[in-house]
Amino acid sequence: MPNCQNCDYKWSWFDTFKIGITNNKKCPNCGERQYVMPQTSKTIYFVFFAFLIVLLFSRPFFDLSDTVYISIGILLTLIMFVIMPYTIKLSNEQKPLW
């Protein structure tokens, strides 16, 4: 889990998950606004979309039903949501994504 760059408070999984979705949130301890580092956001988005693209392009090679592909897509999404808070790094200032 990431630490606040201002007061070194260790964020909970749920708070980290929320900042991963919104890209900024106030620290629960000191109230200073924290931002997700751009490199972290890019990595999370790249891995998530890479899994979905592989899933999409692998469909013609495997004879599986639509239900199986939808289930795999939902499972990959859930796995990414669970793993995401462990990969987030915080910053005191907002930096551009690109």
Side-chain angles (χ1 to χ4, degrees), residues 21-90:
I21 300 297
T22 62
N23 255 0
N24 69 69
K25 186 175 180 341
K26 288 186 179 180
C27 173
N29 189 41
C30 68
E32 185 74 23
R33 186 155 301 273
Q34 296 290 294
Y35 302 93
V36 176
M37 292 186 74
Q39 185 61 35
T40 303
S41 295
K42 286 186 224 176
T43 303
I44 290 169
Y45 296 143
F46 175 76
V47 170
F48 179 70
F49 286 119
F51 278 132
L52 290 180
I53 288 172
V54 167
L55 183 65
L56 179 68
F57 285 114
S58 69
R59 186 154 191 235
F61 300 109
F62 300 106
D63 189 25
L64 300 173
S65 69
D66 291 341
T67 308
V68 172
Y69 276 100
I70 291 170
S71 300
I72 291 171
I74 290 171
L75 181 66
L76 286 175
T77 303
L78 290 174
I79 289 171
M80 286 303 297
F81 279 140
V82 169
I83 292 173
M84 179 184 59
Y86 295 103
T87 61
I88 289 180
K89 292 183 174 57
L90 300 177

